[in-house]
Amino acid sequence: MSQEVSSPSREGTISLTFDLRGRTALVTGASSGLGVTFVRALAGAGANVVLAARRLDRLEPLAAELTAAGSAALALHCDVGNPASVAAAVAAAWERFGRVDVLVNGAGVVAESGLAPEKVPPEVFEHTVRVNLLGTWHCCREVAARMLADGKGGAIVNIASVAGLLGISDFPPAYQATKAAVLNLTRSLACSWADRGIRVNAIAPGWFPSEMTEQALAIPAFKAWVTESAPMKRIGDPAELVPALLFLATAASSFVTGHTLVVDGGLAAAGAGGGVPADVLELFAQAVPGGLGQRITPA
């Protein structure tokens, strides 16, 4: 569909395609996993791309690859848990490209993976909160303040998780809590900024191969539980997230804000299959030193 229609939004005339030519997108967590998929997809849609992550050594080869293919790309060091680092990265993106039109908050961790919830150390829980929730907030606030100041609006896409929609027993508690918080933050900011042309939406992926999930999915029993829990009986292909991302990042979704687009093979609809099976929990427990993976039971 290529017909153009008028729009009251600050994104201007809507072209009903996934077109980002002339726009700039900033992606956090761009050094690995789904972040790499997002960066390539946005560049493929015509956007200038700003790659932000802590591991600059991984960003620079990807930026060079995109530049060689004809895209404008900038690699920036950014620790999303540090407000000053976020402010510096956003300022550098604005200086290079004039503004940021699309923010994709892809940075995330699951620091307490494999630990029994009752044994998660405070500093481990707090680290997940710092990256997943505070990091998302710092980036939203810093980018939105500039978008609001120049009056041109924009799109923010927060990468949450199906785990934020469900209660899953013996699953990383800080990860679940922060992803649920990101979903409500998305709704709150969408309501606050809609009248000034900023749309804020979220994607809640199910299980996809990535740097974050590779160790868990390498355990056959865990992968079997994951695949059997979803009605589609498989994990996702990262390419299957691209249409959702481009829909929310472009003017194709000009009348969509505060929405969570679930891409999970039906996992949330099925209730995630309850919780991690006991035999799989035992495998995780054996791999965690110091007994931190063993649940506390009555003596």
Side-chain angles (χ1 to χ4, degrees):
M1 295 183 294
S2 60
Q3 180 182 1
E4 292 188 348
V5 296
S6 60
S7 166
S9 78
R10 286 176 171 80
E11 292 175 274
T13 300
I14 303 168
S15 177
L16 299 179
T17 62
F18 295 160
D19 186 1
L20 286 169
R21 286 173 293 180
R23 307 279 180 167
T24 297
L26 188 160
V27 181
T28 68
S31 62
S32 65
L34 298 180
V36 174
T37 297
F38 297 152
V39 166
R40 288 179 173 147
L42 293 163
N48 308 318
V49 287
V50 180
L51 296 68
R54 289 177 301 167
R55 296 175 293 188
L56 193 59
D57 60 318
R58 292 196 179 190
L59 294 177
E60 289 174 337
L62 179 56
E65 170 197 316
L66 296 173
T67 300
S71 299
L74 174 65
L76 295 172
H77 173 270
C78 180
D79 177 356
V80 299
N82 182 332
S85 180
V86 171
V90 172
W94 238 267
E95 181 177 358
R96 169 70 182 274
F97 293 113
R99 83 183 310 266
V100 169
D101 304 282
V102 178
L103 168 65
V104 180
N105 280 308
V109 297
V110 54
E112 74 278 23
S113 179
L115 305 186
E118 61 269 29
K119 293 184 176 179
V120 176
E123 64 273 15
V124 174
F125 196 100
E126 290 167 8
H127 178 62
T128 298
V129 172
R130 186 176 304 110
V131 175
N132 293 2
L133 177 56
L134 296 181
T136 297
W137 160 245
H138 296 325
C139 293
C140 285
R141 194 209 67 83
E142 194 68 34
V143 170
R146 289 174 176 264
M147 287 178 171
L148 293 168
D150 71 16
K152 297 179 181 179
I156 296 174
V157 183
N158 295 324
I159 306 303
S161 170
V162 68
L165 296 165
L166 303 163
I168 308 173
S169 64
D170 297 297
F171 203 73
Y175 183 79
Q176 291 187 82
T178 54
K179 292 303 185 179
V182 165
L183 295 179
N184 207 47
L185 179 67
T186 297
R187 290 188 286 268
S188 173
L189 298 182
C191 293
S192 296
W193 297 335
D195 62 337
R196 288 165 286 171
I198 298 177
R199 296 181 299 103
V200 188
N201 292 291
I203 297 174
W207 284 96
F208 286 83
S210 70
E211 186 177 60
M212 183 184 293
T213 63
E214 63 182 353
Q215 289 186 330
L217 293 177
I219 300 172
F222 186 84
K223 186 174 182 180
W225 169 69
V226 167
T227 55
E228 285 302 311
S229 296
M232 294 185 73
K233 304 302 180 186
R234 65 179 177 87
I235 63 173
D237 183 316
E240 293 177 299
L241 287 168
V242 169
L245 173 69
L246 295 182
F247 172 66
L248 295 176
T250 66
S253 59
S254 61
F255 200 49
V256 179
T257 197
H259 178 67
T260 297
L261 183 48
V262 181
V263 186
D264 70 344
L267 187 62
V276 184
D279 59 336
V280 178
L281 286 175
E282 183 58 31
L283 289 173
F284 280 121
Q286 293 172 7
V288 177
L292 292 179
Q294 295 286 350
R295 292 184 295 170
I296 298 174
T297 56

